[in-house]
Amino acid sequence: GEDSSTKPLSGEAHAGPALPERSWVAKQCWGLKGIFIQPINLLLLCVPIGIASGKGDWGCLPTFLLNFIAIVPLAAVLGAFTESLSAHTGQMVGGLLNATFGNAVEMIVTINAIRAGLVSVVQQSLIGSILSNLLLVLGMAFLGAGLVNKESTFNATGAGTNVSCLVLSSLALTLPTVYSYMPNATLADEVSLSRIIALVMGFVYVAFLVFQLRTHADLFTGEEAEGEEEEVDLAIVTSLVGLFATTGAVAYCSEFLVDSIEGVSKEYGLPYAFIGLILLPIVGNAAEHTTAVTAAYKGMMDLALGVAVGSSTQIALFVVPFSVIVGWIYDVPMTLNFQAFDATVFLLAVFIASGILGDGVANWFEGLMLCSTYAIVAIITWFIPEAGEAHRMLSANVTAVPPSSSSDAASGIRPGGGE
């Protein structure tokens, strides 16, 4: 009787015959199955069709829509491979991987748009990504949690640190915008100022990673750790190959997407501001949106906040400075002058989010307020006049932008050299 009671405790009788049968190849196939066998990945069919549309010149609207839809599942797959690779590294390296490849879609779109001279689209898409995570994703997460529980608690200390970083980044965007309206301010000064501030912001983000993952990791403990152990079937090599292959597909689709933006805006009257602030962020945030809402519905509020607020912090302190550096590399006047409307909306969004996250308790009404704020911003962006901006640019007598710069680059920089 005693022998039979001790065998189940060891677990060897059950684990021994089953696990060795799974070869390395079988484990990789099982891990890939977990990544690709998802309902959203049916949209991967749009990847080859979208590329064919761009190659075959099917028109700006089909190219825009097909590649727009294609990047949504690619972003989810990219996130899964990133988590899988992070499971094989330490916390610091894993944090850097998540910061880099977790925002790969935004970074790739940023590079392609800056190369095309679409500075205004870059600026609006970055602000839009922050607003989407901070207002829409977080609001939907609170609503999802409110369907199950009257109130949900979360780690207010960790959320507060992220909000403090967002306040810093909002100042880093607002002050250069205010500076551009000062007398005798030139575009060259704006560019130099923005590059210096971008380096400071990048340094702050590295320090934040050290603070979050090394020196004060206990302040950020929560349900986040639970989901990172599910992807261990994939080896480092498989994860790397999948990561770079998916990144290449995203780069290819985003290039066609960016190239079609101007045509869609001109032919169909879709405002640049609406494309940048509302539509493009949906592409990069679709995976985060699903993860945050699902986690909140299951009661894992710290995971939901880590996705929503953490992604906003990564974009504000990492991708925004990255965009300025990319402009520096390609000699494009990418500045932190994000125009008065964008900078104001960002500042107010951080303000309302900080008020809601301060008490460490979430309910459905707070989620409704966040979603309503996002809806108001989306409605206003639809009515932002393109022609009015062009008229103001001409009346400001901007002479710092050379004639070789496209009208897109001019529309992306508010008149820093105005009287």
Side-chain angles (χ1 to χ4, degrees):
E2 294 180 0
D3 292 338
S4 62
S5 64
T6 56
K7 288 180 181 178
L9 292 175
S10 66
E12 296 177 357
H14 297 283
L19 291 179
E21 294 178 0
R22 294 181 61 188
S23 63
W24 184 88
V25 175
K27 286 184 177 181
Q28 306 316 299
C29 292
W30 183 261
L32 292 173
K33 178 183 176 183
I35 291 177
F36 285 100
I37 306 300
Q38 303 290 340
I40 193 174
N41 288 337
L42 289 173
L43 298 177
L44 287 173
L45 294 172
C46 293
V47 174
I49 302 175
I51 294 175
S53 174
K55 289 281 190 181
D57 195 19
W58 294 2
C60 59
L61 186 61
T63 301
F64 179 84
L65 291 176
L66 287 169
N67 287 284
F68 180 88
I69 296 172
I71 294 178
V72 172
L74 285 174
V77 172
L78 193 64
F81 278 123
T82 303
E83 290 181 10
S84 174
L85 188 61
S86 299
H88 294 281
T89 63
Q91 278 196 334
M92 281 298 296
V93 178
L96 288 171
L97 285 171
N98 279 301
T100 305
F101 290 100
N103 296 301
V105 173
E106 288 87 352
M107 294 167 66
I108 292 170
V109 171
T110 292
I111 294 173
N112 287 327
I114 287 178
R115 289 173 57 192
L118 300 176
V119 175
S120 63
V121 173
V122 172
Q123 293 174 326
Q124 290 166 347
S125 66
L126 293 177
I127 292 293
S129 294
I130 297 172
L131 296 178
S132 175
N133 279 308
L134 202 58
L135 299 177
L136 182 62
V137 176
L138 186 61
M140 292 293 292
F142 280 13
L143 284 173
L147 295 176
V148 182
N149 301 307
K150 183 177 180 180
E151 286 187 342
S152 301
T153 59
F154 55 86
N155 183 358
T157 304
T161 306
N162 278 284
V163 170
S164 298
C165 291
L166 289 173
V167 172
L168 169 64
S169 61
S170 65
L171 289 176
L173 267 60
T174 303
L175 294 180
T177 302
V178 174
Y179 171 82
S180 68
Y181 290 96
M182 295 179 67
N184 302 321
T186 64
L187 179 61
D189 289 338
E190 281 186 53
V191 173
S192 299
L193 181 68
S194 298
R195 289 170 180 173
I196 296 172
I197 295 176
L199 294 176
V200 175
M201 293 172 68
F203 172 76
V204 171
Y205 184 69
V206 173
F208 173 67
L209 284 180
V210 175
F211 180 83
Q212 181 184 31
L213 302 173
R214 181 64 61 85
T215 63
H216 291 71
D218 56 304
L219 299 180
F220 298 88
T221 54
E223 292 89 347
E224 289 93 331
E226 295 180 6
E228 295 182 357
E229 300 179 359
E230 298 178 2
E231 307 289 345
V232 292
D233 278 331
L234 284 184
I236 295 179
V237 175
T238 309
S239 301
L240 281 172
V241 171
L243 195 64
F244 286 111
T246 310
T247 302
V250 171
Y252 215 43
C253 291
S254 69
E255 185 174 355
F256 291 124
L257 177 69
V258 168
D259 290 342
S260 63
I261 287 176
E262 187 175 0
V264 169
S265 180
K266 290 181 178 178
E267 292 183 22
Y268 297 93
L270 203 60
Y272 267 111
F274 189 80
I275 294 175
L277 275 170
I278 305 302
L279 292 184
L280 289 184
I282 293 176
V283 171
N285 294 335
E288 288 96 332
H289 199 155
T290 304
T291 301
V293 175
T294 303
Y297 184 79
K298 294 179 179 179
M300 296 184 291
M301 289 302 299
D302 286 320
L303 175 57
L305 263 70
V307 171
V309 185
S311 295
S312 298
T313 305
Q314 288 178 350
I315 294 169
L317 286 182
F318 179 73
V319 185
V320 170
F322 170 81
S323 68
V324 176
I325 302 302
V326 170
W328 195 350
I329 294 172
Y330 286 101
D331 197 23
V332 174
M334 174 69 193
T335 73
L336 293 177
N337 173 11
F338 272 50
Q339 306 180 19
F341 175 77
D342 297 345
T344 303
V345 168
F346 181 27
L347 195 62
L348 294 177
V350 173
F351 172 74
I352 187 174
S354 63
I356 287 177
L357 294 173
D359 58 356
V361 179
N363 56 63
W364 67 267
F365 184 68
E366 291 177 336
L368 181 64
M369 286 193 291
L370 291 171
C371 292
S372 299
T373 305
Y374 187 78
I376 293 172
V377 173
I379 292 170
I380 294 176
T381 56
W382 183 265
F383 289 95
I384 292 179
E386 302 296 331
E389 281 195 7
H391 177 72
R392 287 194 295 273
M393 290 296 295
L394 291 174
S395 64
N397 296 319
V398 179
T399 58
V401 180
S404 60
S405 297
S406 66
S407 60
D408 300 307
S411 65
I413 308 291
R414 296 284 291 186
E419 293 294 318

